[in-house]
């Protein structure tokens, strides 16, 4: 319909313009012919006199002539149709006024184009009936052409529209099929061109992202079930033991005070392990790093706060700080969680007499955070999988933890456009390094207004 309407409007405009041009050309041609015929008649009239000039009988068609004498009377050929009366302006030409005059005379039936030219002591007139038949024939032809163009445009437009929208129809059908079947594995065929192709590629990319998300969700559920199984089994066995002994009334006799204390401590540790695992699973599943607003922060403050929190959680851990002020654009809570996880991980491996060393410095355009311990280090076979979720080296199976801490670190670092790596420290243990893009510090006035310290030790 749009194509047909556009063609109809185009044909109408073209017809109007062409009609005006054709009508102008025909009028100019007719006027030139009238002038030529009037000059020839005027020459003959001046030779023979206006009253004596020969006027051949009207042949039945063609131009009309009339001679205007000096007294205002007229002469016309025998058998010629009557022309409109001589106008006042034409009379003034005959009386010696303007040399010539081109005018239109209209009757009820016919319209005339009349040219008056002064000759001798009068004037001669040559007229032609205004013929609109060429314009009418041209208009009829344009009408037929326009109708054919409109019909052809409608058919072509419909065909082009259906052909062009066929990929959209198939795309819609595929989207409906995915919505009903929940099957994300079938990609939509890449067809069409231009915007259609980009749209299909975008939807295929979206389906691929959804597949990855579903796969990650399934792996997270499977890994969570596997990791929860061990502490839940141990917790259930200990609780069942206590309940069974209590029902028999042999709790005090079967479990001395020392054994009861040890069992209760185990229960508390298992509950704490479950709580930590649940919190880490929630944090990992939510993926809420991007939900927190970005701020310009001094990473040294984050490191100092994370170290203090690590000491409060595990009083036996010793953390030695060597940090300098380095500003970054980041999310404070997420960065604090990542630093805390790094310190907690190092604290599990460091011997009691060896502190965890935390260093922060500016290196080029990066803020470099290093956390190292004096533990046994990480085996080369385990290095590629250190940041994988739930991955725990064989040597770490007996230690508390879920295998999610370093995975959360990796996610936070990636979200900040940084890089996390692992190496062997100079003390023989593990050296975990995080590089984050550094930012320009705020103006001193802004820092004083915010109550921030300008030096961190």
């Amino acid at each position: 319909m749009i194509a047909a309407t556009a063609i109809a409007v185009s044909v109408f405009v073209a017809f109007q313009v062409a009609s005006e041009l054709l009508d102008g050309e025909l009028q100019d041609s007719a006027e030139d012919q009238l002038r030529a015929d009037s000059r020839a008649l005027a020459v003959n009239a001046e030779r023979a006199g206006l009253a004596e000039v020969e006027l051949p009988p009207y042949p039945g068609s063609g131009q009309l002539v009339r001679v205007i004498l000096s007294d205002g009377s007229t002469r016309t050929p025998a058998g010629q149709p009557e022309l409109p009366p001589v106008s006042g302006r034409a009379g003034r030409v005959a009386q010696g006024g303007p040399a010539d005059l081109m005018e239109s005379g209209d009757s009820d039936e016919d319209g005339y184009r009349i040219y008056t030219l002064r000759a001798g002591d009068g004037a001669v007139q040559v007229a032609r009936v205004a013929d609109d038949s060429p314009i009418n024939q041209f208009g009829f032809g344009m009408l037929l052409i326009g109708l054919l163009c409109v019909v052809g445009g409608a058919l072509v437009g419909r065909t082009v529209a259906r052909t062009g929208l066929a990929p959209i129809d198939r795309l819609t059908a595929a989207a409906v099929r995915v919505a009903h079947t929940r099957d994300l594995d079938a990609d939509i065929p890449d067809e069409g061109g231009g915007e259609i192709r980009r749209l299909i590629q975008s939807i295929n990319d979206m389906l691929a992202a959804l597949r990855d998300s579903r796969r990650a969700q399934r792996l997270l559920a499977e890994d969570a079930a596997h990791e929860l199984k061990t502490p839940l089994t141990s917790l259930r066995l200990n609780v069942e033991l206590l309940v069974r002994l209590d029902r028999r009334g042999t709790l005090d006799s079967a479990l001395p005070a020392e054994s009861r204390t040890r069992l209760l401590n185990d229960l508390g540790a298992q509950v704490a392990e479950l709580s930590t695992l649940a919190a880490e699973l929630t944090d990992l599943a939510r993926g809420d790093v991007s939900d927190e607003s970005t701020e310009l922060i001094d990473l040294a403050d984050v490191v100092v706060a994370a170290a203090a929190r690590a000491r409060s959680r595990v009083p036996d851990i010793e953390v030695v700080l060597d940090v300098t002020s380095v500003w970054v654009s980041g999310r404070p809570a997420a960065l604090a969680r990542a630093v805390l996880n790094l310190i907690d991980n190092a604290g599990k491996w460091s011997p009691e007499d060896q502190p965890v060393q935390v260093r922060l410095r500016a290196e080029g355009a990066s803020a470099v955070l290093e956390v190292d311990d004096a533990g046994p280090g990480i085996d080369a076979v385990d290095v590629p999988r250190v940041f994988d979720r739930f991955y725990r080296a064989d040597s770490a199976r007996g230690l508390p933890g879920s295998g999610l801490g370093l995975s959360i670190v990796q996610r936070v670092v990636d979200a900040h456009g940084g890089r996390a790596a692992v190496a062997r420290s100079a003390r023989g243990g593990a050296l975990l390094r995080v590089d984050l893009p550094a930012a320009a510090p705020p103006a001193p006035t802004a820092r004083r207004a915010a109550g921030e310290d300008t030096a961190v030790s």
Side-chain angles (χ1 to χ4, degrees):
M1 292 300 296
I2 294 175
T5 303
I7 292 175
V9 171
S10 301
V11 170
F12 175 76
V13 173
F15 168 71
Q16 292 295 326
V17 174
S19 296
E20 292 295 331
L21 294 176
L22 179 61
D23 184 57
E25 288 292 330
L26 291 177
Q27 288 188 12
D28 292 343
S29 177
E31 290 177 358
D32 292 341
Q33 185 63 42
L34 289 176
R35 290 188 180 93
D37 293 344
S38 295
R39 283 194 294 272
L41 180 59
V43 169
N44 293 333
E46 289 177 350
R47 288 176 181 175
L50 293 174
E52 303 298 331
V53 65
E54 182 179 359
L55 299 177
Y58 182 67
S61 63
Q63 66 182 13
L64 307 175
V65 298
R66 180 167 58 186
V67 176
I68 304 176
L69 302 177
S70 57
D71 59 1
S73 61
T74 61
R75 294 179 56 207
T76 57
Q80 177 178 283
E82 184 178 355
L83 286 170
V86 177
S87 66
R89 297 173 61 191
R92 286 192 293 274
V93 172
Q95 294 173 2
D100 62 348
L101 172 69
M102 183 70 70
E103 60 184 341
S104 295
D106 296 328
S107 66
D108 293 339
E109 296 180 357
D110 298 319
Y112 293 93
R113 195 75 177 167
I114 303 175
Y115 181 70
T116 305
L117 178 66
R118 189 170 60 246
D121 55 355
V124 295
Q125 288 184 323
V126 178
R128 184 181 296 274
V129 177
D131 186 7
D132 292 335
S133 59
I135 301 296
N136 295 332
Q137 292 174 359
F138 174 75
F140 181 72
M142 287 292 292
L143 177 62
L144 291 179
I145 293 174
L147 291 176
L148 292 176
C149 289
V150 169
V151 173
L155 294 176
V156 172
R158 182 174 182 271
T159 302
V160 171
R162 291 177 66 88
T163 303
L165 294 178
I168 298 294
D169 293 337
R170 289 190 285 271
L171 181 61
T172 303
V176 171
R177 183 173 62 253
V178 169
H180 284 295
T181 63
R182 309 291 181 179
D183 181 15
L184 304 176
D185 294 329
D187 286 338
I188 300 171
D190 191 0
E191 57 186 347
E195 296 180 357
I196 300 296
R197 178 180 293 273
R198 289 195 296 271
L199 177 60
I200 293 176
Q201 290 174 347
S202 298
I203 293 186
N204 282 334
D205 292 341
M206 180 187 68
L207 291 176
L210 289 175
R211 285 196 298 269
D212 293 340
S213 177
R214 174 183 286 182
R215 188 179 302 109
Q217 190 178 41
R218 184 173 61 253
L219 291 175
L220 178 63
E222 293 173 354
D223 292 341
H226 178 269
E227 292 297 323
L228 288 169
K229 184 183 299 182
T230 300
L232 282 176
T233 301
S234 177
L235 185 62
R236 187 183 72 246
L237 292 175
N238 288 332
V239 171
E240 288 177 353
L241 175 61
L242 291 174
V243 171
R244 188 180 305 115
L245 294 176
D246 183 63
R247 286 177 178 174
R248 294 177 181 175
T250 60
L251 181 59
D252 294 335
S253 60
L255 282 179
E258 182 180 352
S259 299
R260 268 201 315 273
T261 301
R262 186 168 57 251
L263 181 58
L264 292 175
N265 289 337
D266 289 343
L267 288 173
Q270 291 157 5
V271 170
E273 185 177 356
L274 281 174
S275 299
T276 301
L277 179 58
E280 290 178 337
L281 284 172
T282 302
D283 183 53
L284 193 64
R286 284 166 54 192
D288 57 356
V289 173
S290 59
D291 295 340
E292 188 182 1
S293 60
T294 301
E295 302 176 13
L296 187 62
I297 56 176
D298 189 346
L299 191 57
D301 294 338
V302 175
V303 173
V304 171
R309 186 178 174 189
R311 294 190 190 101
S312 65
R313 289 172 55 173
V314 184
D316 295 338
I317 189 174
E318 183 181 357
V319 181
V320 176
L321 298 179
D322 179 15
V323 298
T324 57
S325 178
V326 185
W327 292 81
V328 297
S329 178
R331 302 171 177 90
L335 289 174
R337 180 62 184 272
V339 175
L340 181 61
N341 286 356
L342 288 173
I343 297 176
D344 283 345
N345 180 78
K348 288 188 298 185
W349 295 101
S350 285
E352 294 183 0
D353 58 343
Q354 294 291 333
V356 174
Q357 295 184 356
V358 180
R359 296 181 292 273
L360 174 65
R361 66 183 182 277
E363 191 173 289
S366 300
V368 178
L369 174 66
E370 293 180 339
V371 180
D372 77 40
D373 58 69
I378 300 175
D379 293 337
V381 68
D382 297 321
V383 168
R385 302 192 60 188
V386 164
F387 295 102
D388 291 350
R389 290 183 307 177
F390 295 106
Y391 181 75
R392 302 181 72 186
D394 293 336
S395 57
R397 298 295 179 183
L399 296 175
S402 62
L404 291 175
L406 294 183
S407 176
I408 295 173
V409 171
Q410 180 72 68
R411 180 171 59 84
V412 172
V413 171
D414 289 343
H416 286 78
R419 182 173 58 89
V422 60
R424 182 170 293 275
S425 73
R427 297 190 295 164
L431 172 64
L432 292 171
R433 172 174 169 146
V434 170
D435 291 66
L436 296 174
T445 55
R447 295 175 61 184
R448 285 198 297 268
E452 297 177 355
D453 296 330
T454 58
V456 179
S457 59

